[in-house]
Amino acid sequence: MWIYVAISIFLWLLLKWYRNKEIIGNYGNRYIVITGCDSGFGYSLTKKLDELGFNVFAGCLTGEGLAKLKEETSSKVKPVMLDVLKTDSIERAFEFVQLNLPQNTGIWGVVNNAGIAGPVVPIEWLSKTDYENVFEVNTLGMVETTRIFLPLVLKTKGRVVNITSVAGRVAVLYGPYAVSKHAAEGYSDALRRELYKRGVSVHIIEPGCFQTRITDPDVTCNTIDVYYDKLQKNIQDYFGPGFLKQYKKSVKKGLTTGACSNIDHVINAYVHALTAKFPKHRYLVGWDAGLLVHILGRLPELIADYIFAFNIPIPDSEKTNLG
């Protein structure tokens, strides 16, 4: 009996491996739109797709990012100014894409890559506006970009690829970021099911912590100082300088020792989602992402909360009260 079980498992794994290797081909006649290409994942993905022969419309927030891509990529890459916070900017980018597409051609993929980390500070320091700022980029920017470009994706029965985060599956810390990424996960799931019968597939990239501009530990710690300095005096006194020092130390340690330097893992997931005949619905990327979702995320909350909260300091005034 066990020999049949082993053979069945082997054949299933072999089939899975084979399906994973099958690609669509014909890259030279396919067009991709990517947001957030000034740096990080979007910048590297643009260069990778250019090497593979795709035609890429690379959305950039700044003139510097646009000029850099023009200089470093082939004529098959067309950088375009695109601010996902502004509907009129997305619409202008859409018009640019339409003007530069061959007649009766759609786009194979929309990659919603643009995102920000937002303030990495205690939730008690944050206002509604802090959440809105992060939500508008990480979630609503994705929603609006997809809405505007979807008619071109439907033409080719193509793909929408959305970056969320492992924080969209397991909320570790940092309220606004986790909230925005959970919302992006929900939107992506709803979109995938709605488009299922219409031939457009939706795929989610869920990275762990990688070394990019938005995870720079020095920038992050400077932001913590800025938020602390803006607090009312009584709240500053409540948390105290000891808390501030320990909190920054914990954040810096997490971003320094926990962040992976090889962003190719994320780029490869993006590429597979765009080129595989049988792409995955979700791509968990990074050892920490797998650990959080498959192990820590399955623990009882009582245990998981203790683990996640282990390195979070308590306010100085509460230490005093504890004696």
Side-chain angles (χ1 to χ4, degrees), residues 9-275:
I9 293 173
F10 173 76
L11 291 175
W12 177 77
L13 290 173
L14 186 63
L15 177 62
K16 186 177 179 180
W17 174 85
Y18 175 76
R19 284 169 60 91
N20 194 54
K21 294 293 182 182
E22 287 282 277
I23 59 174
I24 54 169
N26 195 27
Y27 299 160
N29 292 320
R30 298 184 191 270
Y31 294 79
I32 310 291
V33 173
I34 311 172
T35 65
C37 296
D38 297 79
S39 62
F41 300 147
Y43 169 79
S44 297
L45 177 61
T46 299
K47 297 188 74 173
K48 181 65 177 179
L49 293 179
D50 185 30
E51 291 173 8
L52 291 173
F54 280 94
N55 301 279
V56 182
F57 295 100
C60 295
L61 183 62
T62 66
E64 291 81 4
L66 191 134
K68 187 178 181 181
L69 279 176
K70 280 185 176 179
E71 182 181 335
E72 297 181 359
T73 57
S74 75
S75 60
K76 293 178 78 68
V77 173
K78 291 180 170 56
V80 55
M81 296 298 291
L82 199 167
D83 183 351
V84 299
L85 284 174
K86 301 174 181 176
T87 297
D88 60 347
S89 175
I90 304 171
E91 288 174 340
R92 284 194 298 270
F94 177 79
E95 291 170 4
F96 176 84
V97 170
Q98 280 191 309
L99 287 171
N100 285 276
L101 279 174
Q103 193 171 7
N104 298 320
T105 302
I107 55 176
W108 173 247
V110 170
V111 178
N112 287 300
N113 170 76
I116 60 174
V120 180
V121 299
I123 284 176
E124 293 164 86
W125 298 8
L126 297 168
S127 68
K128 175 184 174 183
T129 302
D130 294 310
Y131 284 84
E132 289 173 342
N133 292 340
V134 180
F135 194 79
E136 284 181 354
V137 177
N138 292 354
T139 309
L140 297 184
M142 175 186 295
V143 170
E144 193 72 337
T145 301
T146 303
R147 178 185 70 82
I148 290 170
F149 280 96
L150 188 57
L152 293 178
V153 183
L154 284 163
K155 263 189 175 182
T156 66
K157 306 298 182 186
R159 299 171 183 181
V160 177
V161 183
N162 294 336
I163 192 166
T164 61
S165 167
V166 67
R169 299 275 293 277
V170 180
V172 184
L173 293 172
Y174 321 140
Y177 185 77
V179 168
S180 71
K181 294 300 185 179
H182 270 71
E185 289 266 342
Y187 167 72
S188 300
D189 285 340
L191 182 68
R192 185 179 68 251
R193 287 157 189 162
E194 185 170 323
L195 296 175
Y196 183 81
K197 292 182 179 179
R198 300 170 69 187
V200 172
S201 58
V202 180
H203 312 277
I204 306 172
I205 311 296
E206 300 171 323
C209 189
F210 284 82
Q211 290 179 11
T212 64
R213 188 171 63 181
I214 70 171
T215 58
D216 184 292
D218 293 325
V219 173
T220 302
C221 287
N222 288 338
T223 302
I224 295 171
D225 285 329
V226 169
Y227 269 79
Y228 182 79
D229 292 340
K230 290 192 300 183
L231 294 173
Q232 294 177 357
K233 183 66 166 58
N234 63 316
I235 300 178
Q236 283 186 350
D237 292 341
Y238 182 80
F239 280 91
F243 171 90
L244 180 64
K245 181 180 179 180
Q246 285 300 115
Y247 189 85
K248 289 196 298 182
K249 181 180 178 182
S250 176
V251 169
K252 193 165 188 175
K253 181 180 179 182
L255 294 177
T256 303
T257 62
C260 177
S261 61
N262 186 4
I263 68 170
D264 285 346
H265 296 302
V266 179
I267 305 309
N268 291 339
Y270 266 135
V271 170
H272 191 270
L274 290 167
T275 63

